[in-house]
Amino acid sequence: MSRAMRGVSNMRQGRWAVGILALAVATAGPVLAEEPPAGQAVDCRYEYATEGVTGAAFPTDDVFRPLMADPKQPQFFASYLAARARTDGTHANIGSVGFGENFGFYTRREGCNGWQVGLLAGVFSQFDLSAPSSDLINTDYVVGVPLSWRSGGWSTRVRLYHQSSHLGDEFLLGRPGFNRLNLSFEELEALVSYDYRWGRLYAGGGYLVHREPASLDRNRVQWGVELRGPTIPSPILGRALAGFLVTPVLGADFKSFEELNWVINANVVGGIEWSRQGSSRRFRFLVNYYHGFNPYGQFFAQKVETVGFGFYLQL
């Protein structure tokens, strides 16, 4: 079977997997109780409490839940992608990794209602696994200051952040004369989210307050949906690790950029999340399908389609 046929087959399998996960989550019941058991630690990203006034430095959670399906959400992950360039039909095997987190500096809350300010940082790199030495293609560096707020099911995140993109040395050495673009910008972003029991909706946008090259259009919009199935004791390692839980999850993120004529870029993920009672750490295995313009680096004007899977850690 040719590489092209294998790529198409992989993409079809990915669509079937996402469809099955969507059906499983859509028919599931409520997720977690809004009020956790008395005395149990609360992760305000996924649970809800109304009592107890707290003002604390270095909180372990946040009042805004990280976006599960956003390719540029700062987090720790490693994934494999079967990628197709829609412009010329070429295929590639891509390894995509990320390192990052949102570190809270200070929070003031009553239960889970309140605000928090922190620091976010992330690194996103892509590797050509088809090359003999798995050449580094591109790395995006992100750093910024997020301010989050919650009241009941409503939450919001406002952040000002900087991104710079850098091509890999091996990528450039193998392509003499490649037209390198120095992509760098600062963006002000605002998102509003509403979550209730098993579902979540969010929407917002961003504005480039400074950009290089200066010809880039400034505006973008973003929206998405997340679904969480019933949380149950894990059938794997459940006896060995007391309190180990498993939750089916599904998410879809959509972005549209003025620079790219408002074409919609879609990323759909679905899979299983493992967690433990009283801990803020979560581990996910997700399959994903992406259709749109390349979300990384100076390749933002390249139309791509990818299907793959990965492992994601949330601290």
Side-chain angles (χ1 to χ4, degrees):
M1 183 182 293
S2 67
R3 289 178 63 186
M5 291 298 294
R6 286 197 300 269
V8 172
S9 176
N10 287 338
M11 290 178 183
R12 288 175 177 171
Q13 291 173 7
R15 290 169 180 164
W16 274 106
V18 171
I20 292 171
L21 286 163
L23 179 62
V25 176
T27 56
V31 188
L32 295 171
E34 293 185 1
E35 291 285 352
Q40 179 177 308
V42 177
D43 184 347
C44 289
R45 299 171 299 180
Y46 299 92
E47 302 169 294
Y48 186 62
T50 57
E51 298 180 354
V53 178
T54 303
F58 298 169
T60 58
D61 60 352
D62 197 356
V63 294
F64 184 89
R65 184 189 306 172
L67 303 183
M68 180 171 57
D70 185 351
K72 302 303 287 287
Q73 172 67 44
Q75 59 184 320
F76 293 85
F77 70 89
S79 64
Y80 163 79
L81 303 174
R84 179 178 69 92
R86 294 159 53 209
T87 50
D88 56 15
T90 58
H91 290 77
N93 297 310
I94 303 297
S96 181
V97 299
F99 305 91
E101 191 54 69
N102 175 30
F103 183 90
F105 280 147
Y106 187 82
T107 187
R108 181 70 179 176
R109 310 178 193 176
E110 182 175 352
C112 286
N113 296 327
W115 59 270
Q116 178 168 312
V117 63
L119 174 72
L120 68 88
V123 178
F124 304 90
S125 296
Q126 303 80 51
F127 298 85
D128 182 2
L129 301 182
S130 301
S133 60
S134 299
D135 298 351
L136 172 63
I137 301 172
N138 173 82
T139 299
D140 293 342
Y141 297 90
V142 176
V143 62
V145 177
L147 175 65
S148 54
W149 171 87
R150 173 176 290 276
S151 178
W154 292 97
S155 61
T156 185
R157 182 185 71 189
V158 178
R159 62 179 185 173
L160 177 64
Y161 71 95
H162 165 82
Q163 175 182 308
S164 61
S165 301
H166 304 271
L167 294 174
D169 292 340
E170 295 140 318
F171 179 86
L172 290 173
L173 288 173
R175 295 164 178 80
F178 184 83
N179 184 24
R180 178 181 175 274
L181 177 67
N182 184 29
L183 178 65
S184 176
F185 61 81
E186 286 77 47
E187 182 179 55
L188 180 63
E189 175 199 78
L191 293 171
V192 176
S193 170
Y194 181 73
D195 51 89
Y196 178 73
R197 297 172 75 87
W198 51 265
R200 178 197 195 190
L201 297 172
Y202 62 86
Y207 179 81
L208 298 181
V209 295
H210 176 266
R211 73 274 197 223
E212 185 180 346
S215 59
L216 291 175
D217 291 321
R218 295 181 183 269
N219 300 296
R220 72 171 174 91
V221 294
Q222 180 177 5
W223 66 99
V225 60
E226 295 177 5
L227 302 174
R228 298 176 60 82
T231 295
I232 61 173
S234 174
I236 303 175
L237 299 178
R239 295 181 180 179
L241 299 175
F244 216 47
L245 305 173
V246 63
T247 306
V249 294
L250 179 70
D253 182 82
F254 306 93
K255 293 181 182 179
S256 185
F257 297 83
E258 181 183 9
E259 173 68 21
L260 301 173
N261 298 316
W262 301 112
V263 172
I264 296 175
N265 307 284
N267 190 49
V268 181
V269 301
I272 299 296
E273 174 186 279
W274 285 270
S275 61
R276 184 173 60 82
Q277 291 179 351
S279 174
S280 61
R281 297 175 180 267
R282 296 170 187 268
F283 173 80
R284 298 185 182 121
F285 172 78
L286 302 175
V287 296
N288 77 282
Y289 173 75
Y290 181 86
H291 186 279
F293 288 95
N294 195 321
Y296 299 114
Q298 74 168 65
F299 304 101
F300 63 86
Q302 178 190 45
K303 294 181 179 180
V304 298
E305 183 179 35
T306 69
V307 62
F309 62 89
F311 300 93
Y312 298 76
L313 303 176
Q314 189 170 100
L315 304 181

